[in-house]
């Protein structure tokens, strides 16, 4: 009898121990506690990151094996403690519903599995073309180019926008706008819950002119130029966005301008004092290259980050070997040439324009690196025109060919679509300044050119 009782108590104790052990395992197992983007959230189609927050640290390899996207995009997972972050290497498909599936079995750092999986969806916005209208004192608008008879959407209501640049993921749009007697920097959050919360001031510049905002590809830094009052010499500043700390990357006694980031996250800007482009690397702003250039006009990074194309004004002397007999007035003249600077395997510099009777400006690389768009005009009297035409060529200078044929119009501000063979550009009439500027779209596959909007400037794609 006593033995039977003892066995009964032992069985109950064992069952309780198993229950306690299972309960402890359930408590110790990871749980998915938060996701971003949230269920049903609409986000820009750019490289928006997906974040998963678990109840305890998880294994990166297991996360990569147990989380799936449909449609899928390439990218990398990074795990820091209990937070797993997926950063896509290319944009999500625009105007798409993305399904995220987290499978059960995903392992925590302690080896225990996720007991319950989860599936949710988020929606991507269409790729839109942003611009400023009207050109003087206007706001930022955006147009869904692929939609028939799309109505432009007004993104800002501040007026006085002078320049703007979207972040790599398309969520934020940084812009310069008049603020009293000066020009300050603002940011538009396209994912804000309301219009009133969408725009906030980043830097109040007082009487200074803060222009040329340039967010880094990883979203950590904001470069911009700041001039001391109207007409003051500009200097490039770099702001660390997480704490709004100004970074002392550039010499305070040099006049610098035109900051642009490479896809790999290096910053180039023109040093007017040193006569060349500085190339700096975060997080300490170390100078990794100096590219000699006497004038520092517009520039563009190659998509692989290993080359930079920049404009330099050259003095052409008819008596020099480079001059031609029909050079304008047979007097020395300035001509803007495209220069290709390469960094590897050795630093080099190549004149892509080559002909002293040609002038090139405003270069822009296609995302795949196959094409370089630029504006070109002839300087010799027999072929000179008031306007500058859109040309395309390969980055080595080969297969240069003219696209537009409107001799009285300047074509500039070339903006490549992030995934499609489309090129947006601005067009201004150089013989009748009462005519408003226009924004056009060129389709490389069909050859079609069509006007999108009038009385507008600065086309920029919002991924």
């Amino acid at each position: 009898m006593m033995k039977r009782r003892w066995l009964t108590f032992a069985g109950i104790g064992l069952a309780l121990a198993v229950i306690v052990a299972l309960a402890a395992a359930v408590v110790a197992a990871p749980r998915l506690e938060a996701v971003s983007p949230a269920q049903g959230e609409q986000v820009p189609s750019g490289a928006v990151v997906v974040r998963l927050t678990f109840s305890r640290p998880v294994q990166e390899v297991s996360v990569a094996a147990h989380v799936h996207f449909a449609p899928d995009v390439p990218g990398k997972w990074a795990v820091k403690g209990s937070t797993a972050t997926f950063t896509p290497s290319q944009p999500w498909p625009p105007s798409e519903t993305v399904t995220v599936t987290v499978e059960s079995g995903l392992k925590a750092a302690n080896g225990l599995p996720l007991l319950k999986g989860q599936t949710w969806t988020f929606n991507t916005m269409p790729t839109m073309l942003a611009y400023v209208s009207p050109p003087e004192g206007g706001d930022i608008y955006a147009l869904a180019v692929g939609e028939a008879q799309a109505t432009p959407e007004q993104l800002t209501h501040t007026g006085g926008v002078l320049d703007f640049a979207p972040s790599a993921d398309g969520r934020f749009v940084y812009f310069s706008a008049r603020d009293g007697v000066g020009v300050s920097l603002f940011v538009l959050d396209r994912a804000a819950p309301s219009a009133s919360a969408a725009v906030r001031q980043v830097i109040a510049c007082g009487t200074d002119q803060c222009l040329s905002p340039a967010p880094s590809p990883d979203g950590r830094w904001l470069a911009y130029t700041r001039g001391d009052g109207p007409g003051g010499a500009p200097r490039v500043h770099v702001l660390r966005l997480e704490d709004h700390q100004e970074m002392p990357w550039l010499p305070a006694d040099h006049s610098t301008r035109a900051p642009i980031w490479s896809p790999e996250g290096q910053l180039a800007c023109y040093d007017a004092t040193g006569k060349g482009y500085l190339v700096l690397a975060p997080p300490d702003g170390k100078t990794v290259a100096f590219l000699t250039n006497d004038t520092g006009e517009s520039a563009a990074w190659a998509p692989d980050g290993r080359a930079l194309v920049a404009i330099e004004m050259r003095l052409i002397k008819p008596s020099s070997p480079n001059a031609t007999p029909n050079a304008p007035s047979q007097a020395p003249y300035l001509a803007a040439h495209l220069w290709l600077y390469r960094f590897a395997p050795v630093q080099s510099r190549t004149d892509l324009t080559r002909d002293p009777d040609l002038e090139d400006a405003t270069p822009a690389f296609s995302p795949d690196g196959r094409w370089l768009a630029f504006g070109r005009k002839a300087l010799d009297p027999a072929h000179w025109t008031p306007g500058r035409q859109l040309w395309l060529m390969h980055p080595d200078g080969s297969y240069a060919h003219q696209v537009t044929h409107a001799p009285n119009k300047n074509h500039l501000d070339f903006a490549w679509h992030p995934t499609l063979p489309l090129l947006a550009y601005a067009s201004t009439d150089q013989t009748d300044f009462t005519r408003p500027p226009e924004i056009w779209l060129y389709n490389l596959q069909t050859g079609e050119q069509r006007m999108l909007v009038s009385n507008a400037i600065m086309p920029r794609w919002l991924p």
Side-chain angles (χ1 to χ4, degrees):
M1 187 69 156
M2 292 292 294
K3 184 176 180 182
R4 189 178 299 141
R5 235 179 239 175
W6 183 84
L7 289 173
T8 300
F9 287 141
I12 293 172
L14 181 60
L16 288 173
V18 170
I19 290 172
V20 170
L22 288 174
V26 170
V27 171
R31 299 184 309 279
L32 183 59
E33 296 188 330
V35 298
S36 175
Q39 167 63 36
E41 184 177 351
Q42 188 175 41
V43 298
S45 61
V48 174
V49 300
V50 174
R51 286 189 178 87
L52 311 178
T53 303
F54 295 89
S55 58
R56 56 187 62 253
V58 291
Q59 299 178 17
E60 184 173 317
V61 173
S62 187
V63 169
H66 288 81
V67 182
H68 308 284
F69 304 102
D72 196 15
V73 296
K76 292 183 180 179
W77 281 101
V79 171
K80 187 175 182 180
S82 60
T83 300
T85 302
F86 177 78
T87 302
S89 56
Q90 67 183 43
W92 300 97
S95 303
E96 186 68 82
T97 296
V98 179
T99 301
V100 187
T101 301
V102 181
E103 298 176 332
S104 59
L106 185 154
K107 289 187 178 181
N110 60 14
L112 293 175
L114 180 73
L115 300 177
K116 183 180 179 182
Q118 185 174 331
T119 297
W120 77 98
T121 62
F122 64 88
N123 304 310
T124 60
M125 299 177 183
T127 300
M128 304 182 79
L129 183 67
Y131 55 88
V132 172
S133 181
E136 295 293 333
D139 273 295
I140 302 174
Y141 291 78
L143 182 69
V145 173
E147 299 179 6
Q149 298 181 343
T151 301
E153 175 187 352
Q154 187 170 351
L155 301 184
T156 66
H157 296 81
T158 60
V161 175
L162 300 178
D163 197 1
F164 73 98
S167 60
D169 62 8
R171 174 174 177 175
F172 299 102
V173 180
Y174 293 89
F175 63 97
S176 301
R178 299 194 186 281
D179 185 19
V181 296
V183 177
S184 295
L185 291 179
F186 300 83
V187 63
L188 164 71
D189 184 354
R190 297 175 67 205
S194 65
S196 60
V199 174
R200 60 181 174 83
Q201 191 175 72
V202 179
I203 302 173
C205 298
T207 60
D208 290 351
Q209 312 283 308
C210 291
L211 300 164
S212 306
S216 63
D218 60 7
R220 294 186 60 197
W221 318 93
L222 178 67
Y224 64 98
T225 61
R226 185 165 186 161
D228 299 327
R235 190 166 71 86
V236 172
H237 293 244
V238 179
L239 188 72
R240 188 167 59 200
L241 289 170
E242 63 183 18
D243 58 5
H244 280 214
Q245 178 71 37
E246 288 275 1
M247 310 307 294
W249 289 3
L250 291 131
D253 58 345
H254 282 214
S255 175
T256 48
R257 63 177 186 267
I260 53 171
W261 294 91
S262 76
E264 302 299 318
Q266 291 186 333
L267 176 66
C269 65
Y270 185 70
D271 183 347
T273 306
K275 298 294 184 182
Y277 282 90
L278 287 166
V279 181
L280 313 172
D284 56 1
K286 179 183 178 182
T287 300
V288 296
F290 182 81
L291 313 175
T292 302
N293 187 299
D294 285 339
T295 57
E297 305 301 319
S298 55
W301 279 100
D304 62 6
R306 292 185 290 182
L308 182 82
V309 167
I311 302 297
E312 184 179 42
M313 301 294 294
R314 297 185 63 197
L315 181 64
I316 306 297
K317 299 179 180 180
S319 59
S320 72
N322 290 330
T324 57
N326 59 349
S329 304
Q330 291 295 295
Y333 59 96
L334 288 173
H337 279 212
L338 285 173
W339 290 86
L340 175 68
Y341 297 86
R342 292 196 180 276
F343 301 97
V346 294
Q347 188 170 310
S348 63
R349 178 176 126 126
T350 304
D351 183 0
L352 297 180
T353 303
R354 301 170 185 169
D355 190 336
D357 281 343
L358 295 177
E359 182 172 79
D360 295 334
T362 58
F365 278 96
S366 62
D368 60 8
R370 293 184 58 210
W371 294 105
L372 184 66
F374 60 99
R376 167 170 285 182
K377 70 185 300 182
L379 297 178
D380 66 280
H383 301 94
W384 181 90
T385 59
R388 194 186 303 272
Q389 304 308 302
L390 164 61
W391 282 63
L392 294 178
M393 68 178 172
H394 293 317
D396 62 0
S398 64
Y399 195 50
H401 60 282
Q402 187 173 343
V403 175
T404 61
H405 298 270
N408 291 338
K409 292 188 175 182
N410 254 356
H411 301 82
L412 68 162
D413 268 349
F414 306 114
W416 292 90
H417 190 285
T419 57
L420 299 177
L422 300 175
L423 178 64
Y425 58 90
S427 174
T428 62
D429 194 319
Q430 297 301 105
T431 60
D432 184 357
F433 293 107
T434 65
R435 298 186 63 180
E438 302 165 341
I439 291 178
W440 285 65
L441 187 69
Y442 171 56
N443 187 317
L444 273 71
Q445 286 187 339
T446 66
E448 178 192 17
Q449 300 173 39
R450 64 187 176 100
M451 191 188 76
L452 296 178
V453 62
S454 181
N455 202 32
I457 57 174
M458 300 184 201
R460 312 273 192 273
W461 291 101
L462 300 180

